Amino acid sequence: KRIAFLVSGRGSNFQAVLDAVAAGDIPGICVGLVTDNPEAYAIERAKNAGVPVMVVDYAGFPTKAAYEEALLVAMRGCRADLFVLAGYMRILGTGIVREFSGRMMNIHPALLPAFSGLHAQRQAIEYGVKVAGCTVHLVDEGMDTGPIVVQRCVPVLPDDDETRLADRILAEEHKALPLAVKLFCENRLEVDGRRVWVR
Ligand code: GRF
């Protein structure tokens, strides 16, 4: 399968998938990185791996609609079977979500449906939960609401701050996202309403 990525920043989850593909764990090829941020470190990672980069600089457009039009053109250009949102920090418009319905996934650093949106790890600490984690889900028109593909959990420890918890969750993200991409590429995901079965 052809796998493309939409990333806004550091790209460590993108790297985890690149590594799993390079290791032969995922039957796919990484065909493009699309980013809204010309400073994203993910760009270096893509270049190192020989993955084409398309920068659609959010700041370069007068309106969100104009930005999304350009983003959609870049995304279509990848001719991807799967689009992976790995730290894409904006909400996608319904046009894009509909076009890639069933073949776009997102990684979120919380056990959804708890703590959607920004600063999920801080929300978890402030709420006082004892277990936290990450979720890979298909993207629907809501924010962090689509059918869940993979979740992994970690303990919240007494002296945790946001950074320590985020680091512990991130280590699990780097397992969860390659697994979800692998299952997709192996045609092993079966979506049944809200529920995703692994065959
Ligand atoms: C991750 O915690 C991801 O769950 C969240 O943004 C962060 C991105 O990290 N959506 P990275 O860019 O993959 O290193």
Side-chain angles (χ1 to χ4, degrees):
K1 296 260 197 256
R2 295 172 60 86
I3 311 160
F5 300 82
L6 192 48
V7 178
S8 296
R10 173 178 63 177
S12 69
N13 280 288
F14 167 52
Q15 186 73 56
V17 177
L18 287 175
D19 292 348
V21 169
D25 292 341
I26 296 175
I29 115 165
C30 298
V31 294
L33 172 81
V34 181
T35 181
D36 58 336
N37 173 12
E39 311 284 320
Y41 184 64
I43 294 171
E44 303 304 315
R45 298 179 189 274
K47 286 184 178 158
N48 290 336
V51 173
V53 175
M54 281 138 285
V55 179
V56 184
D57 185 356
Y58 185 82
F61 294 88
T63 61
K64 178 144 197 212
Y67 160 74
E68 287 225 329
E69 217 171 284
L71 185 66
L72 185 54
V73 170
M75 289 176 74
R76 281 182 182 145
C78 294
R79 292 186 295 109
D81 300 301
L82 175 65
F83 242 98
V84 179
L85 273 48
Y88 177 66
M89 302 312 284
R90 300 180 193 281
I91 295 173
L92 285 172
T94 55
I96 293 181
V97 171
R98 282 189 193 148
E99 178 155 336
F100 293 91
S101 171
R103 53 197 184 94
M104 185 154 62
M105 49 177 71
N106 178 48
I107 175 113
H108 182 74
L111 293 175
L112 292 171
F115 314 130
S116 60
L118 290 176
H119 309 300
Q121 303 95 331
R122 189 193 306 166
Q123 292 182 55
I125 299 239
E126 285 173 357
Y127 198 92
V129 293
K130 304 299 187 198
V131 178
C134 63
T135 304
V136 182
H137 63 92
L138 298 175
V139 176
D140 69 6
E141 287 174 36
M143 183 177 59
D144 301 326
T145 54
I148 291 172
V149 181
V150 173
Q151 290 187 303
R152 292 182 67 93
C153 58
V154 300
V156 181
L157 301 177
D159 52 349
D160 272 352
D161 59 14
E162 190 182 345
T163 312
R164 275 181 51 123
L165 180 61
D167 287 348
R168 194 176 306 123
I169 292 172
L170 190 66
E172 298 306 310
E173 294 183 45
H174 295 163
K175 298 175 191 160
L177 188 60
L179 173 60
V181 172
K182 175 184 167 76
L183 293 171
F184 182 95
C185 290
E186 292 176 347
N187 291 318
R188 288 170 61 196
L189 299 178
E190 192 177 314
V191 183
D192 171 17
R194 275 218 56 86
R195 295 186 289 179
V196 180
W197 304 112
V198 177
R199 282 186 281 202

Short mmCIF file of all heavy atoms in Angstrom, two decimals, residues 16-77:
data_model
loop_
_atom_site.label_atom_id
_atom_site.label_comp_id
_atom_site.label_asym_id
_atom_site.label_seq_id
_atom_site.Cartn_x
_atom_site.Cartn_y
_atom_site.Cartn_z
N ALA A 16 8.75 6.44 13.34
CA ALA A 16 8.47 5.07 13.78
C ALA A 16 7.87 4.25 12.64
O ALA A 16 8.20 3.07 12.46
CB ALA A 16 7.54 5.08 14.99
N VAL A 17 7.01 4.87 11.83
CA VAL A 17 6.43 4.15 10.69
C VAL A 17 7.48 3.96 9.59
O VAL A 17 7.60 2.87 9.02
CB VAL A 17 5.18 4.86 10.15
CG1 VAL A 17 4.63 4.13 8.93
CG2 VAL A 17 4.10 4.94 11.24
N LEU A 18 8.28 5.01 9.32
CA LEU A 18 9.37 4.86 8.34
C LEU A 18 10.25 3.67 8.71
O LEU A 18 10.62 2.85 7.86
CB LEU A 18 10.25 6.12 8.31
CG LEU A 18 9.71 7.40 7.69
CD1 LEU A 18 10.72 8.53 7.89
CD2 LEU A 18 9.43 7.19 6.21
N ASP A 19 10.59 3.58 9.99
CA ASP A 19 11.50 2.51 10.45
C ASP A 19 10.84 1.14 10.28
O ASP A 19 11.51 0.18 9.88
CB ASP A 19 11.89 2.73 11.92
CG ASP A 19 12.78 3.95 12.12
OD1 ASP A 19 13.28 4.51 11.11
OD2 ASP A 19 12.96 4.37 13.28
N ALA A 20 9.56 1.07 10.59
CA ALA A 20 8.86 -0.23 10.48
C ALA A 20 8.75 -0.66 9.01
O ALA A 20 8.84 -1.84 8.70
CB ALA A 20 7.48 -0.14 11.14
N VAL A 21 8.56 0.32 8.13
CA VAL A 21 8.52 -0.01 6.70
C VAL A 21 9.91 -0.47 6.24
O VAL A 21 10.05 -1.50 5.58
CB VAL A 21 8.04 1.19 5.86
CG1 VAL A 21 8.26 0.96 4.37
CG2 VAL A 21 6.56 1.47 6.14
N ALA A 22 10.94 0.28 6.66
CA ALA A 22 12.31 -0.08 6.26
C ALA A 22 12.70 -1.46 6.77
O ALA A 22 13.45 -2.19 6.12
CB ALA A 22 13.29 0.98 6.77
N ALA A 23 12.18 -1.82 7.94
CA ALA A 23 12.50 -3.12 8.54
C ALA A 23 11.69 -4.25 7.91
O ALA A 23 11.89 -5.42 8.25
CB ALA A 23 12.23 -3.07 10.05
N GLY A 24 10.77 -3.90 7.02
CA GLY A 24 9.97 -4.93 6.37
C GLY A 24 8.77 -5.39 7.20
O GLY A 24 8.10 -6.36 6.85
N ASP A 25 8.47 -4.67 8.30
CA ASP A 25 7.33 -5.06 9.15
C ASP A 25 6.00 -4.63 8.54
O ASP A 25 4.95 -5.16 8.91
CB ASP A 25 7.45 -4.40 10.54
CG ASP A 25 8.60 -4.97 11.34
OD1 ASP A 25 9.07 -6.08 10.99
OD2 ASP A 25 9.03 -4.30 12.30
N ILE A 26 6.03 -3.62 7.69
CA ILE A 26 4.79 -3.09 7.10
C ILE A 26 4.88 -3.28 5.59
O ILE A 26 5.84 -2.80 4.97
CB ILE A 26 4.62 -1.59 7.43
CG1 ILE A 26 4.46 -1.39 8.94
CG2 ILE A 26 3.45 -0.99 6.66
CD1 ILE A 26 4.40 0.07 9.36
N PRO A 27 3.91 -3.95 4.97
CA PRO A 27 3.95 -4.12 3.52
C PRO A 27 3.43 -2.86 2.83
O PRO A 27 2.29 -2.79 2.40
CB PRO A 27 3.01 -5.31 3.28
CG PRO A 27 2.03 -5.24 4.41
CD PRO A 27 2.74 -4.63 5.59
N GLY A 28 4.30 -1.86 2.77
CA GLY A 28 3.88 -0.60 2.17
C GLY A 28 5.07 0.20 1.73
O GLY A 28 6.21 -0.19 1.96
N ILE A 29 4.76 1.34 1.09
CA ILE A 29 5.83 2.27 0.74
C ILE A 29 5.39 3.68 1.13
O ILE A 29 4.22 4.04 0.99
CB ILE A 29 6.27 2.13 -0.74
CG1 ILE A 29 5.97 3.38 -1.56
CG2 ILE A 29 5.66 0.97 -1.44
CD1 ILE A 29 6.77 3.30 -2.86
N CYS A 30 6.35 4.42 1.70
CA CYS A 30 6.05 5.78 2.18
C CYS A 30 6.21 6.72 1.01
O CYS A 30 7.33 6.91 0.51
CB CYS A 30 6.97 6.15 3.33
SG CYS A 30 6.75 5.04 4.75
N VAL A 31 5.10 7.30 0.54
CA VAL A 31 5.12 8.01 -0.74
C VAL A 31 5.13 9.52 -0.61
O VAL A 31 5.35 10.21 -1.60
CB VAL A 31 3.94 7.59 -1.65
CG1 VAL A 31 4.07 6.13 -2.05
CG2 VAL A 31 2.60 7.85 -0.96
N GLY A 32 4.91 10.06 0.60
CA GLY A 32 4.94 11.50 0.71
C GLY A 32 4.72 11.99 2.11
O GLY A 32 4.02 11.37 2.91
N LEU A 33 5.35 13.14 2.40
CA LEU A 33 5.11 13.86 3.65
C LEU A 33 4.52 15.21 3.27
O LEU A 33 5.13 15.95 2.49
CB LEU A 33 6.41 14.08 4.41
CG LEU A 33 6.24 15.00 5.63
CD1 LEU A 33 5.69 14.23 6.81
CD2 LEU A 33 7.55 15.67 6.01
N VAL A 34 3.35 15.51 3.79
CA VAL A 34 2.75 16.83 3.59
C VAL A 34 2.79 17.54 4.94
O VAL A 34 2.44 16.94 5.97
CB VAL A 34 1.29 16.70 3.10
CG1 VAL A 34 0.67 18.09 2.87
CG2 VAL A 34 1.22 15.88 1.80
N THR A 35 3.27 18.78 4.94
CA THR A 35 3.32 19.51 6.20
C THR A 35 2.84 20.94 6.02
O THR A 35 3.02 21.55 4.96
CB THR A 35 4.74 19.49 6.81
OG1 THR A 35 4.73 20.21 8.05
CG2 THR A 35 5.78 20.12 5.88
N ASP A 36 2.22 21.46 7.07
CA ASP A 36 1.75 22.84 7.10
C ASP A 36 2.82 23.77 7.67
O ASP A 36 2.59 24.96 7.79
CB ASP A 36 0.47 22.95 7.95
CG ASP A 36 0.68 22.45 9.37
OD1 ASP A 36 1.61 21.63 9.59
OD2 ASP A 36 -0.06 22.88 10.27
N ASN A 37 3.97 23.19 8.05
CA ASN A 37 4.96 23.95 8.81
C ASN A 37 6.34 23.80 8.16
O ASN A 37 6.97 22.75 8.27
CB ASN A 37 4.98 23.41 10.25
CG ASN A 37 6.10 24.01 11.08
OD1 ASN A 37 6.74 24.99 10.68
ND2 ASN A 37 6.35 23.42 12.23
N PRO A 38 6.84 24.88 7.52
CA PRO A 38 8.13 24.79 6.82
C PRO A 38 9.30 24.49 7.77
O PRO A 38 10.38 24.11 7.33
CB PRO A 38 8.29 26.16 6.16
CG PRO A 38 7.26 27.05 6.74
CD PRO A 38 6.20 26.20 7.37
N GLU A 39 9.08 24.68 9.08
CA GLU A 39 10.15 24.44 10.07
C GLU A 39 10.08 23.04 10.67
O GLU A 39 10.87 22.71 11.56
CB GLU A 39 10.01 25.43 11.25
CG GLU A 39 9.84 26.89 10.85
CD GLU A 39 11.15 27.48 10.40
OE1 GLU A 39 12.17 27.18 11.03
OE2 GLU A 39 11.15 28.22 9.39
N ALA A 40 9.13 22.23 10.25
CA ALA A 40 8.92 20.93 10.90
C ALA A 40 10.17 20.05 10.78
O ALA A 40 10.71 19.88 9.68
CB ALA A 40 7.73 20.22 10.29
N TYR A 41 10.59 19.48 11.89
CA TYR A 41 11.76 18.59 11.86
C TYR A 41 11.46 17.33 11.04
O TYR A 41 12.37 16.70 10.48
CB TYR A 41 12.21 18.23 13.28
CG TYR A 41 13.46 17.38 13.27
CD1 TYR A 41 14.67 17.90 12.77
CD2 TYR A 41 13.45 16.07 13.72
CE1 TYR A 41 15.80 17.12 12.71
CE2 TYR A 41 14.59 15.27 13.66
CZ TYR A 41 15.76 15.81 13.16
OH TYR A 41 16.88 15.02 13.09
N ALA A 42 10.19 17.01 10.91
CA ALA A 42 9.79 15.86 10.10
C ALA A 42 10.32 15.96 8.67
O ALA A 42 10.55 14.95 8.00
CB ALA A 42 8.27 15.73 10.09
N ILE A 43 10.52 17.18 8.17
CA ILE A 43 11.03 17.38 6.80
C ILE A 43 12.41 16.74 6.66
O ILE A 43 12.70 16.07 5.66
CB ILE A 43 11.05 18.89 6.45
CG1 ILE A 43 9.62 19.44 6.40
CG2 ILE A 43 11.78 19.13 5.13
CD1 ILE A 43 9.53 20.96 6.28
N GLU A 44 13.27 16.94 7.69
CA GLU A 44 14.61 16.33 7.66
C GLU A 44 14.49 14.81 7.62
O GLU A 44 15.21 14.13 6.90
CB GLU A 44 15.40 16.71 8.92
CG GLU A 44 15.57 18.20 9.14
CD GLU A 44 16.20 18.87 7.94
OE1 GLU A 44 17.19 18.33 7.39
OE2 GLU A 44 15.66 19.90 7.52
N ARG A 45 13.58 14.30 8.43
CA ARG A 45 13.40 12.84 8.51
C ARG A 45 12.98 12.30 7.14
O ARG A 45 13.46 11.25 6.71
CB ARG A 45 12.33 12.49 9.54
CG ARG A 45 12.67 12.93 10.96
CD ARG A 45 11.51 12.53 11.87
NE ARG A 45 11.57 13.06 13.21
CZ ARG A 45 12.22 12.49 14.22
NH1 ARG A 45 12.89 11.37 14.04
NH2 ARG A 45 12.20 13.05 15.42
N ALA A 46 12.08 13.01 6.48
CA ALA A 46 11.62 12.57 5.16
C ALA A 46 12.77 12.58 4.16
O ALA A 46 12.97 11.63 3.41
CB ALA A 46 10.48 13.46 4.69
N LYS A 47 13.54 13.68 4.18
CA LYS A 47 14.66 13.78 3.24
C LYS A 47 15.65 12.65 3.47
O LYS A 47 16.13 12.04 2.52
CB LYS A 47 15.35 15.14 3.39
CG LYS A 47 14.51 16.27 2.80
CD LYS A 47 15.22 17.61 2.84
CE LYS A 47 14.37 18.69 2.19
NZ LYS A 47 14.77 20.03 2.66
N ASN A 48 15.94 12.36 4.74
CA ASN A 48 16.88 11.27 5.05
C ASN A 48 16.39 9.92 4.54
O ASN A 48 17.19 9.04 4.24
CB ASN A 48 17.13 11.19 6.56
CG ASN A 48 17.92 12.37 7.07
OD1 ASN A 48 18.66 12.99 6.30
ND2 ASN A 48 17.77 12.70 8.34
N ALA A 49 15.06 9.78 4.48
CA ALA A 49 14.50 8.50 4.06
C ALA A 49 14.14 8.50 2.56
O ALA A 49 13.60 7.52 2.05
CB ALA A 49 13.26 8.19 4.89
N GLY A 50 14.40 9.62 1.87
CA GLY A 50 14.08 9.70 0.45
C GLY A 50 12.58 9.80 0.17
O GLY A 50 12.13 9.40 -0.91
N VAL A 51 11.84 10.34 1.12
CA VAL A 51 10.39 10.50 0.94
C VAL A 51 10.11 11.93 0.46
O VAL A 51 10.57 12.90 1.07
CB VAL A 51 9.64 10.22 2.28
CG1 VAL A 51 8.17 10.54 2.16
CG2 VAL A 51 9.86 8.78 2.73
N PRO A 52 9.36 12.07 -0.65
CA PRO A 52 9.05 13.42 -1.17
C PRO A 52 8.30 14.28 -0.14
O PRO A 52 7.42 13.78 0.56
CB PRO A 52 8.16 13.14 -2.37
CG PRO A 52 8.43 11.72 -2.75
CD PRO A 52 8.81 11.01 -1.49
N VAL A 53 8.67 15.56 -0.08
CA VAL A 53 8.09 16.50 0.88
C VAL A 53 7.27 17.55 0.15
O VAL A 53 7.74 18.10 -0.84
CB VAL A 53 9.20 17.20 1.69
CG1 VAL A 53 8.61 18.26 2.62
CG2 VAL A 53 10.03 16.20 2.48
N MET A 54 6.08 17.80 0.63
CA MET A 54 5.28 18.91 0.12
C MET A 54 4.94 19.83 1.29
O MET A 54 4.27 19.40 2.23
CB MET A 54 3.98 18.39 -0.51
CG MET A 54 4.17 17.83 -1.90
SD MET A 54 3.22 16.31 -2.13
CE MET A 54 4.22 15.16 -1.18
N VAL A 55 5.43 21.08 1.21
CA VAL A 55 5.12 22.04 2.26
C VAL A 55 3.95 22.90 1.78
O VAL A 55 4.02 23.52 0.73
CB VAL A 55 6.34 22.95 2.56
CG1 VAL A 55 5.98 23.96 3.64
CG2 VAL A 55 7.54 22.11 2.99
N VAL A 56 2.88 22.88 2.55
CA VAL A 56 1.74 23.77 2.29
C VAL A 56 1.68 24.68 3.51
O VAL A 56 1.07 24.36 4.53
CB VAL A 56 0.43 22.97 2.11
CG1 VAL A 56 -0.71 23.92 1.74
CG2 VAL A 56 0.59 21.90 1.04
N ASP A 57 2.40 25.81 3.41
CA ASP A 57 2.62 26.69 4.56
C ASP A 57 1.32 27.42 4.92
O ASP A 57 0.86 28.26 4.16
CB ASP A 57 3.73 27.68 4.20
CG ASP A 57 4.11 28.57 5.38
OD1 ASP A 57 3.47 28.46 6.45
OD2 ASP A 57 5.05 29.37 5.21
N TYR A 58 0.79 27.07 6.07
CA TYR A 58 -0.48 27.65 6.52
C TYR A 58 -0.41 29.18 6.48
O TYR A 58 -1.38 29.84 6.09
CB TYR A 58 -0.81 27.16 7.93
CG TYR A 58 -2.16 27.60 8.42
CD1 TYR A 58 -3.30 26.91 8.05
CD2 TYR A 58 -2.29 28.71 9.25
CE1 TYR A 58 -4.56 27.31 8.49
CE2 TYR A 58 -3.54 29.12 9.69
CZ TYR A 58 -4.67 28.41 9.30
OH TYR A 58 -5.90 28.83 9.73
N ALA A 59 0.73 29.72 6.87
CA ALA A 59 0.89 31.18 6.96
C ALA A 59 0.85 31.86 5.59
O ALA A 59 0.65 33.07 5.50
CB ALA A 59 2.20 31.52 7.67
N GLY A 60 1.00 31.08 4.53
CA GLY A 60 1.06 31.67 3.19
C GLY A 60 -0.30 31.84 2.52
O GLY A 60 -0.35 32.24 1.36
N PHE A 61 -1.37 31.54 3.23
CA PHE A 61 -2.71 31.62 2.62
C PHE A 61 -3.59 32.62 3.35
O PHE A 61 -3.51 32.73 4.57
CB PHE A 61 -3.36 30.23 2.63
CG PHE A 61 -2.63 29.25 1.75
CD1 PHE A 61 -1.58 28.50 2.26
CD2 PHE A 61 -2.95 29.12 0.41
CE1 PHE A 61 -0.86 27.62 1.45
CE2 PHE A 61 -2.24 28.25 -0.41
CZ PHE A 61 -1.20 27.50 0.12
N PRO A 62 -4.43 33.33 2.59
CA PRO A 62 -5.26 34.36 3.21
C PRO A 62 -6.39 33.80 4.08
O PRO A 62 -6.81 34.44 5.03
CB PRO A 62 -5.83 35.14 2.01
CG PRO A 62 -5.77 34.19 0.86
CD PRO A 62 -4.59 33.30 1.12
N THR A 63 -6.88 32.60 3.74
CA THR A 63 -7.99 32.03 4.51
C THR A 63 -7.74 30.55 4.73
O THR A 63 -6.95 29.92 4.02
CB THR A 63 -9.32 32.15 3.74
OG1 THR A 63 -9.19 31.40 2.51
CG2 THR A 63 -9.68 33.58 3.43
N LYS A 64 -8.45 30.00 5.70
CA LYS A 64 -8.32 28.57 5.95
C LYS A 64 -8.81 27.77 4.73
O LYS A 64 -8.25 26.74 4.39
CB LYS A 64 -9.11 28.17 7.20
CG LYS A 64 -9.04 26.68 7.47
CD LYS A 64 -9.00 26.30 8.95
CE LYS A 64 -8.52 24.86 9.07
NZ LYS A 64 -9.05 24.11 10.16
N ALA A 65 -9.84 28.30 4.06
CA ALA A 65 -10.38 27.61 2.88
C ALA A 65 -9.33 27.53 1.77
O ALA A 65 -9.16 26.49 1.12
CB ALA A 65 -11.64 28.32 2.38
N ALA A 66 -8.59 28.62 1.57
CA ALA A 66 -7.56 28.63 0.52
C ALA A 66 -6.44 27.65 0.89
O ALA A 66 -5.93 26.91 0.03
CB ALA A 66 -6.99 30.04 0.36
N TYR A 67 -6.08 27.65 2.16
CA TYR A 67 -5.06 26.70 2.63
C TYR A 67 -5.51 25.27 2.38
O TYR A 67 -4.75 24.45 1.85
CB TYR A 67 -4.80 26.94 4.12
CG TYR A 67 -4.17 25.78 4.84
CD1 TYR A 67 -2.82 25.47 4.65
CD2 TYR A 67 -4.92 24.97 5.70
CE1 TYR A 67 -2.25 24.38 5.29
CE2 TYR A 67 -4.36 23.89 6.34
CZ TYR A 67 -3.02 23.59 6.14
OH TYR A 67 -2.46 22.51 6.77
N GLU A 68 -6.74 24.96 2.73
CA GLU A 68 -7.21 23.59 2.60
C GLU A 68 -7.34 23.14 1.15
O GLU A 68 -7.16 21.98 0.84
CB GLU A 68 -8.54 23.41 3.34
CG GLU A 68 -8.31 23.41 4.85
CD GLU A 68 -9.06 22.31 5.59
OE1 GLU A 68 -10.14 21.94 5.13
OE2 GLU A 68 -8.55 21.85 6.62
N GLU A 69 -7.63 24.09 0.29
CA GLU A 69 -7.68 23.78 -1.14
C GLU A 69 -6.30 23.32 -1.62
O GLU A 69 -6.17 22.30 -2.31
CB GLU A 69 -8.08 25.05 -1.91
CG GLU A 69 -8.97 24.82 -3.10
CD GLU A 69 -9.48 26.15 -3.63
OE1 GLU A 69 -10.38 26.75 -3.00
OE2 GLU A 69 -8.91 26.60 -4.64
N ALA A 70 -5.26 24.06 -1.19
CA ALA A 70 -3.89 23.69 -1.58
C ALA A 70 -3.48 22.38 -0.90
O ALA A 70 -2.80 21.54 -1.50
CB ALA A 70 -2.93 24.81 -1.19
N LEU A 71 -3.92 22.23 0.34
CA LEU A 71 -3.59 21.00 1.07
C LEU A 71 -4.19 19.79 0.36
O LEU A 71 -3.53 18.76 0.19
CB LEU A 71 -4.14 21.10 2.50
CG LEU A 71 -3.80 19.97 3.45
CD1 LEU A 71 -2.29 19.94 3.73
CD2 LEU A 71 -4.56 20.11 4.76
N LEU A 72 -5.42 19.94 -0.08
CA LEU A 72 -6.10 18.84 -0.76
C LEU A 72 -5.38 18.46 -2.06
O LEU A 72 -5.20 17.28 -2.37
CB LEU A 72 -7.56 19.22 -1.03
CG LEU A 72 -8.46 18.14 -1.63
CD1 LEU A 72 -8.44 16.86 -0.81
CD2 LEU A 72 -9.89 18.66 -1.76
N VAL A 73 -4.93 19.48 -2.78
CA VAL A 73 -4.18 19.21 -4.03
C VAL A 73 -2.91 18.42 -3.71
O VAL A 73 -2.59 17.42 -4.36
CB VAL A 73 -3.84 20.53 -4.76
CG1 VAL A 73 -2.86 20.29 -5.91
CG2 VAL A 73 -5.12 21.19 -5.27
N ALA A 74 -2.19 18.85 -2.66
CA ALA A 74 -0.96 18.15 -2.27
C ALA A 74 -1.28 16.71 -1.84
O ALA A 74 -0.56 15.77 -2.20
CB ALA A 74 -0.26 18.90 -1.14
N MET A 75 -2.36 16.56 -1.08
CA MET A 75 -2.72 15.21 -0.60
C MET A 75 -3.09 14.29 -1.76
O MET A 75 -2.65 13.15 -1.83
CB MET A 75 -3.85 15.31 0.42
CG MET A 75 -3.41 15.94 1.75
SD MET A 75 -4.76 16.18 2.93
CE MET A 75 -5.07 14.49 3.48
N ARG A 76 -3.89 14.82 -2.68
CA ARG A 76 -4.28 14.01 -3.85
C ARG A 76 -3.04 13.58 -4.63
O ARG A 76 -2.98 12.45 -5.13
CB ARG A 76 -5.19 14.80 -4.78
CG ARG A 76 -6.62 14.86 -4.30
CD ARG A 76 -7.46 15.64 -5.32
NE ARG A 76 -8.82 15.75 -4.87
CZ ARG A 76 -9.60 16.81 -5.08
NH1 ARG A 76 -9.12 17.86 -5.74
NH2 ARG A 76 -10.83 16.82 -4.63
N GLY A 77 -2.07 14.51 -4.72
CA GLY A 77 -0.86 14.25 -5.50
C GLY A 77 -0.08 13.04 -4.98
O GLY A 77 0.71 12.46 -5.72
#
